[in-house]
Amino acid sequence: MATTFKGKCATALGTGPTTIYTVPAVTTTLVIGLTITNINAGAVTAGARMTDSSAALTAYIGGKAFSIPAGSAEMVITKENPLVLETGDSISIDGNTAAALDYVLSYVEIT
């Protein structure tokens, strides 16, 4: 089994939901960090979701919708509360304001 530490980020996400990560085939992923930052001048309401492809269900991570003040960030997933994903599962982010959110995602892929 190979273990690969990875990270990705993006800027100016909008009203979505926007899929930010999907687990590749024959892979299990341990998400150890997801931070969402408000780059807008005012408060933004954001949300993060996990889709379980094997059960065809989507659930909110860290609350249905949370307010992020201007210039602030919300740590949605941390190493103290990691998220395990299986092949085909995904994470998405949405907000109530266009081009207002950045994210940083840290994860480990196990193949």
Side-chain angles (χ1 to χ4, degrees):
M1 287 183 10
T3 301
T4 308
F5 288 82
K6 294 187 173 186
K8 65 185 297 187
C9 61
T11 188
L13 294 181
T15 54
T18 301
T19 300
I20 62 168
Y21 178 75
T22 301
V23 180
V26 194
T27 304
T28 299
T29 299
L30 179 65
V31 180
I32 55 176
L34 173 59
T35 302
I36 302 173
T37 302
N38 176 1
I39 58 171
N40 194 41
V44 173
T45 300
R49 299 179 181 130
M50 176 211 165
T51 299
D52 180 341
S53 63
S54 63
L57 295 172
T58 299
Y60 286 95
I61 306 166
K64 183 174 181 180
F66 42 88
S67 181
I68 306 174
S72 296
E74 181 74 25
M75 294 175 58
V76 182
I77 300 171
T78 65
K79 66 180 181 179
E80 289 80 17
N81 263 336
L83 179 64
V84 177
L85 302 173
E86 300 171 340
T87 297
D89 293 351
S90 62
I91 297 175
S92 60
I93 294 175
D94 62 20
N96 68 342
T97 305
L101 300 172
D102 288 359
Y103 78 86
V104 175
L105 180 69
S106 301
Y107 56 100
V108 181
E109 287 183 340
I110 304 161
T111 55

